[in-house]
RNA sequence: GCGGGUGUAGUCUAGUGGUAGGACGGGGGCUUCCCAAGCCUCUGGCCCGGGUUCGAACCCCGGCACCCGCACCA
């Protein structure tokens, strides 16, 4: 563990010195839980997001949306966050120290977390709870919100979103239509989330403003969910009961350990992490304990990665059931259901009532039309009917309506879709990638980030062997040539060639191009591969193609 | 939020009541120089605020941040 926490320090040191990330607002003394991404970190983040989009949005055919960070209070009442994302605090009137109200009451009652503020206040008084620090009298419970509040316009209360998910749920009807009213439907959103953490520590791992990539996958709970080619992916699981197993996705579903959609997204996530360069031996899916589940969740599996601080959640795959759509339906009054189509439309014969206007007209005069409408919409019944009209009870005689047989064709039934939510913590992934990529060569504490070429912020360094003409000029031309091909590269002629390789290795540059004296004779340059430190010569005119193929993974270095 | 620790150049660090020294890095230069080579040269620092003092990087108080533990947490 000693070595592990040294690793965290080393990553943090490189991050700041070379420009991956650093604490925000340092010149004003800093602000906890906020980080800046520097020139390298921003590109690394972009590359990871780009890979995520390819891996999920493109390959799983997801609908990508982008909704606001600020949302109205009512929406967060509906989502449950306004209520559940709150803790009650009590402050000591004497020493001013603050405590969580339910914590103080734990010793004298059961389930204090279920109390509202009045209940808490009553319980504190009844049990004569005093300040644990000084014994002073405690004040009235106050809310401590894990959501940041703000105001829209003059006085409309609003929140900064704690997750991007709500922006997807509330748009379900539009998205469902855009998906041509078909399920399953996956919707993705990449953006920021905000949580006013009580104690944000550990660098990028616990931020108050963080980047997330979320998928809300809407399914019909009654429909099959085929795993396809993910069936044989081997998943490392740690169940709620503490069982550790490595098992094929398909088998885990058969044994009832996982539901199909959860197994599917585990397999997909595993492949994504592999592409990022996460060490597969330091990765597991851990099932949440019952009491650990978020208020909206019925089952959750965290994908955890072993880092210097222990196992850290980087992805959460939650079964949110129909919780969110149901709540938003209730609070907004809108229809958020989907249609489950029958294989063949059902034809049903129904008995209905139809008003006879020739009888109703003379009987009820001006009110006849309204009464007829009510009768037409009534379920089948017999005998005289009593209906309410403008607060009055009205008796409609049996002969004022007739019974008709109608045949209706019903194409399907409406239901509230269930949601599977794979949620990715981008900042945590960035940190995990850095830790898992870091190693030192035997000589002189030489530091290397073995970032995969696809996500490495800089793909190539171009060096003249000596900073002399015409070598330097040729090297500069190569930089221009590569940039025109879209390869992010840089020129460096400072210090010895070894030092330039070392600088490049430390920030994960996968390939270095060197212009030497041979170049002047036959227009070839060397490509040096970062991890093997081996070199090969290629013609300048082939350099662009070969480098791009190396970066994309279409070509292995040994094949060049 | 509680308890303990820490805060000196970009990074790591020496110093301790008389306002800072090193190493590495970074810039420029020299050396036909392929894995942090050598030489010359330049660059740059006491977390912030208040107090004690003739004088504070050092002592005291407050703040901010970081680390360890507890608690909390998607």
């Amino acid at each position: 563990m000693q070595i592990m926490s040294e690793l965290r320090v080393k990553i943090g040191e490189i991050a700041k010195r070379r420009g991956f990330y650093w604490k925000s607002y340092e010149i004003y003394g800093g602000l906890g839980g906020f980080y800046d991404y520097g020139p390298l970190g921003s590109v690394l983040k972009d590359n990871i997001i780009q890979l995520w989009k390819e891996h999920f949005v493109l390959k799983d055919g997801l609908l990508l949306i982008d909704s606001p960070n600020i949302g109205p209070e009512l929406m967060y009442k509906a989502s449950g966050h306004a209520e559940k994302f709150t803790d009650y605090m009590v402050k000591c009137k004497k020493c001013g120290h603050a405590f969580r109200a339910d914590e103080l009451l734990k010793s004298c009652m059961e389930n204090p977390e279920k109390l509202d503020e009045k209940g808490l206040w009553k319980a504190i008084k009844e049990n004569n709870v005093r300040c644990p620090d000084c014994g002073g009298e405690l004040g009235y419970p106050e809310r401590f919100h894990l959501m940041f509040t703000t105001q829209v316009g003059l006085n409309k209360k609003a929140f900064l979103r704690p997750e991007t998910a709500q922006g997807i749920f509330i748009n379900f009807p539009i998205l469902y239509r855009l998906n041509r009213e078909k399920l399953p439907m996956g919707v993705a959103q990449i953006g920021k989330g905000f949580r006013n953490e009580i104690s944000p520590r550990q660098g990028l791992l616990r931020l108050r403003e963080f980047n997330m990539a979320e998928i809300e996958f809407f399914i019909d709970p009654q429909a099959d969910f085929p795993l396809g080619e993910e069936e044989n992916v081997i998943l490392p699981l740690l169940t709620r009961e503490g069982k550790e197993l490595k098992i094929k996705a398909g088998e885990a579903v058969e044994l009832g350990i996982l539901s199909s959609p959860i197994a599917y997204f585990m397999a997909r996530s595993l492949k994504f992490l592999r592409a990022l360069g996460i060490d597969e031996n330091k990765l597991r899916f851990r099932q949440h304990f019952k009491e650990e589940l978020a208020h909206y969740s019925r089952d959750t599996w965290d994908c955890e990665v072993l880092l210097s601080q222990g196992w850290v959640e980087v992805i959460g795959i939650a079964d949110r059931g129909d919780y969110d759509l149901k709540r938003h339906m209730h609070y907004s009054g809108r229809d958020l259901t989907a249609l489950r189509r029958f294989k063949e439309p059902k034809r049903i014969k129904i008995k209905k009532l139809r008003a006879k206007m020739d009888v109703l007209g003379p009987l009820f005069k001006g009110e006849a039309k309204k009464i007829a409408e009510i009768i037409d919409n009534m379920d089948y019944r017999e005998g005289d009917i009593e209906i309410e009209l403008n607060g009055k009870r009205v008796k409609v005689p049996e002969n004022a309506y007739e019974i008709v047989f109608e045949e209706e064709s019903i194409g399907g039934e409406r239901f509230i879709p269930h949601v599977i939510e794979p949620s990715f913590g981008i900042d945590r992934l960035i940190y995990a990638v850095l830790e898992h990529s870091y190693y030192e060569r035997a000589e002189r504490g030489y530091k290397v980030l073995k970032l995969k070429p696809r996500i490495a912020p800089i793909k190539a360094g171009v060096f003249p062997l000596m900073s002399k003409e015409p070598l330097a000029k040729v090297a500069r031309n190569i930089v221009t040539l590569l940039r025109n091909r879209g390869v992010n590269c840089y020129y460096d002629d400072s210090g010895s060639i070894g030092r330039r390789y070392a600088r490049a290795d430390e920030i994960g540059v996968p390939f270095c191009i060197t212009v030497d004296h041979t170049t002047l004779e036959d227009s070839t340059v060397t490509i040096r591969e970062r991890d093997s430190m081996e070199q090969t010569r290629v013609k300048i005119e082939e350099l662009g193609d070969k480098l791009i193929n190396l970066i994309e993974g279409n070509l292995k270095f040994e094949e060049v």
Side-chain angles (χ1 to χ4, degrees):
Chain A
M1 220 49 187
Q2 176 105 40
I3 297 160
M4 290 293 271
S5 64
E6 267 175 41
L7 177 57
R8 175 177 50 223
V9 173
K10 281 174 179 168
I11 297 290
E13 192 257 305
I14 292 177
K16 185 172 185 190
R17 186 163 46 78
R18 300 304 307 273
F20 283 97
Y21 61 86
W22 55 79
K23 284 178 290 184
S24 297
Y25 309 115
E26 233 179 12
I27 70 164
Y28 289 112
L31 190 61
F34 298 93
Y35 271 76
D36 289 347
Y37 283 108
L40 293 178
S42 300
V43 178
L44 177 62
K45 180 178 147 212
D46 266 6
N47 291 350
I48 288 176
I49 288 174
Q50 188 53 40
L51 196 64
W52 190 87
K53 283 187 190 167
E54 272 182 46
H55 196 86
F56 291 103
V57 179
L58 180 72
K59 292 196 180 151
D60 279 311
L62 307 179
L63 309 178
L64 184 67
I65 71 160
D66 190 2
S67 61
N69 285 319
I70 295 174
E73 186 179 24
L74 185 57
M75 177 174 79
Y76 286 109
K77 282 190 173 159
S79 73
H81 288 92
E83 182 196 354
K84 306 281 175 138
F85 245 56
T86 300
D87 288 329
Y88 283 103
M89 308 283 293
V90 283
K91 273 191 186 157
C92 170
K93 286 181 175 171
K94 201 168 143 198
C95 69
H97 288 175
F99 306 91
R100 283 190 49 159
D102 52 349
E103 286 295 314
L104 291 180
L105 287 163
K106 254 186 188 162
S107 53
C108 43
M109 63 182 296
E110 273 181 24
N111 296 325
E113 59 274 6
K114 286 185 178 165
L115 297 171
D116 61 6
E117 55 182 281
K118 280 177 189 161
L120 286 166
W121 181 233
K122 209 174 137 197
I124 287 169
K125 290 226 144 175
E126 277 173 5
N127 294 290
N128 193 30
V129 179
R130 315 284 293 188
C131 171
D133 287 354
C134 72
E137 196 188 335
L138 294 169
Y140 193 73
E142 291 171 48
R143 279 168 175 240
F144 178 82
H145 243 299
L146 266 51
M147 279 196 294
F148 288 101
T149 52
T150 186
Q151 253 132 50
V152 171
L154 282 180
N155 55 9
K156 196 166 171 90
K157 190 174 176 186
F159 294 106
L160 270 69
R161 64 182 180 192
E163 55 173 9
T164 69
Q166 301 308 326
I168 296 177
F169 297 135
I170 59 166
N171 280 309
F172 177 77
I174 299 176
L175 293 162
Y176 183 55
R177 177 171 59 77
L178 293 172
N179 202 46
R180 290 168 47 224
E181 307 197 355
K182 284 192 176 115
L183 292 189
M185 170 176 81
V187 184
Q189 180 159 211
I190 300 161
K192 291 206 165 180
F194 305 82
R195 293 182 192 184
N196 198 4
E197 296 288 346
I198 298 171
S199 138
R201 276 182 229 176
Q202 312 184 78
L204 291 186
L205 297 184
R206 171 161 263 101
L207 298 174
R208 288 190 165 120
E209 175 175 339
F210 54 100
N211 294 282
M212 58 211 296
E214 293 193 299
I215 299 170
E216 306 303 328
F217 207 81
F218 298 90
I219 56 169
D220 177 348
Q222 291 178 12
D224 286 340
F225 196 103
L227 293 181
E229 61 183 37
E230 312 305 330
E231 187 179 49
N232 292 318
V233 176
I234 293 173
L235 304 170
L237 303 182
L238 173 59
T239 68
R240 184 179 284 156
E241 292 78 29
K243 251 194 292 178
E244 277 188 73
L245 60 164
K246 291 202 170 176
I247 186 169
K248 283 185 181 175
E251 275 176 51
V253 172
E254 271 169 39
L255 291 172
I257 301 169
L258 302 174
S259 70
S260 302
I262 286 188
Y264 175 80
F265 281 109
M266 274 186 188
R268 300 285 295 131
S269 299
L270 188 71
K271 286 183 176 174
F272 173 64
L273 294 180
R274 226 182 250 162
L276 285 185
I278 296 292
D279 183 347
E280 228 174 308
N281 298 313
K282 297 178 176 171
L283 188 161
R284 71 181 185 198
F285 291 93
R286 185 182 67 82
Q287 188 177 28
H288 275 204
F289 297 107
K290 284 260 157 65
E291 54 277 15
E292 194 182 354
L293 293 171
H295 63 268
Y296 48 72
S297 171
R298 27 174 71 186
D299 189 18
T300 296
W301 290 76
D302 281 348
C303 178
E304 298 183 325
V305 164
L306 187 59
L307 299 175
S308 54
Q309 24 264 301
W311 289 97
V312 172
E313 176 201 349
V314 292
I315 305 170
I317 304 176
D319 179 353
R320 298 179 73 131
D322 61 2
Y323 175 88
D324 300 278
L325 290 180
K326 206 187 223 167
R327 298 268 303 195
H328 285 304
M329 216 163 132
H330 179 71
Y331 277 75
S332 69
R334 299 301 181 91
D335 177 19
L336 305 182
T337 60
L339 185 67
R340 181 182 295 128
R341 288 184 182 78
F342 299 135
K343 283 204 178 108
E344 284 179 34
K346 276 187 189 166
R347 296 193 163 274
I348 41 170
K349 286 179 182 172
I350 41 170
K351 283 196 228 175
K352 285 195 76 178
L353 310 184
R354 178 172 317 142
K356 286 163 99 172
M357 288 310 286
D358 55 335
V359 181
L360 283 176
L363 261 177
F364 296 104
K365 308 273 182 334
E367 288 175 328
K369 203 177 177 188
K370 279 185 183 169
I371 292 170
E373 240 171 62
I374 293 169
I375 290 173
D376 284 346
N377 288 315
M378 276 184 142
D379 293 335
Y380 171 75
R381 68 192 63 195
E382 289 171 12
D384 294 349
I385 303 175
E386 266 198 8
I387 57 172
E388 258 193 39
L389 186 70
N390 302 331
K392 284 184 295 181
R393 302 218 129 205
V394 180
K395 197 175 247 179
V396 180
E398 203 172 358
N399 67 337
Y401 63 89
E402 59 188 345
I403 294 161
V404 294
F405 293 90
E406 271 183 11
E407 198 178 58
E408 270 187 23
S409 163
I410 301 178
E413 56 190 332
R414 304 215 71 93
F415 70 102
I416 302 177
H418 284 214
V419 175
I420 303 298
E421 177 194 74
S423 172
F424 297 70
I426 300 293
D427 312 277
R428 289 179 172 190
L429 282 172
I430 289 171
Y431 182 77
V433 165
L434 291 175
E435 261 206 17
H436 283 193
S437 300
Y438 179 88
Y439 70 97
E440 289 174 18
R441 296 223 170 97
E443 332 86 64
R444 319 188 47 176
Y446 191 112
K447 302 177 177 86
V448 187
L449 287 179
K450 55 171 195 286
L451 297 175
K452 298 265 182 183
R454 275 296 309 278
I455 63 164
I458 294 172
K459 312 299 188 194
V462 182
F463 315 143
L465 189 57
M466 284 168 292
S467 59
K468 276 221 161 126
E469 299 304 346
L471 295 181
K473 196 178 160 211
V474 175
R476 284 198 185 89
N477 287 341
I478 288 174
V479 169
T480 306
L481 180 149
L482 290 176
R483 285 182 175 165
N484 286 342
R485 298 293 306 273
V487 176
N488 189 358
C489 62
Y490 68 94
Y491 171 88
D492 185 2
D493 67 3
S494 162
S496 74
I497 189 73
R499 176 184 304 231
R500 286 174 263 162
Y501 288 143
R503 270 189 207 126
D505 289 345
E506 195 185 38
I507 56 169
V509 176
F511 304 107
C512 290
I513 316 298
T514 305
V515 174
D516 57 17
H517 297 100
T518 313
T519 307
L520 303 177
E521 290 159 21
D522 64 2
S523 290
T524 62
V525 290
T526 63
I527 305 181
R528 172 220 188 235
E529 201 260 346
R530 178 191 60 213
D531 298 306
S532 63
M533 303 201 311
E534 278 171 10
Q535 287 181 305
T536 182
R537 293 199 82 89
V538 299
K539 284 210 175 309
I540 291 176
E541 58 188 61
E542 293 175 353
L543 179 64
D545 285 338
K546 291 204 164 161
L547 205 55
I548 287 166
N549 280 323
L550 281 169
I551 293 161
E552 295 294 325
N554 302 326
L555 182 67
K556 284 187 181 152
F557 187 71
E558 307 87 69
E559 296 164 358
V560 173

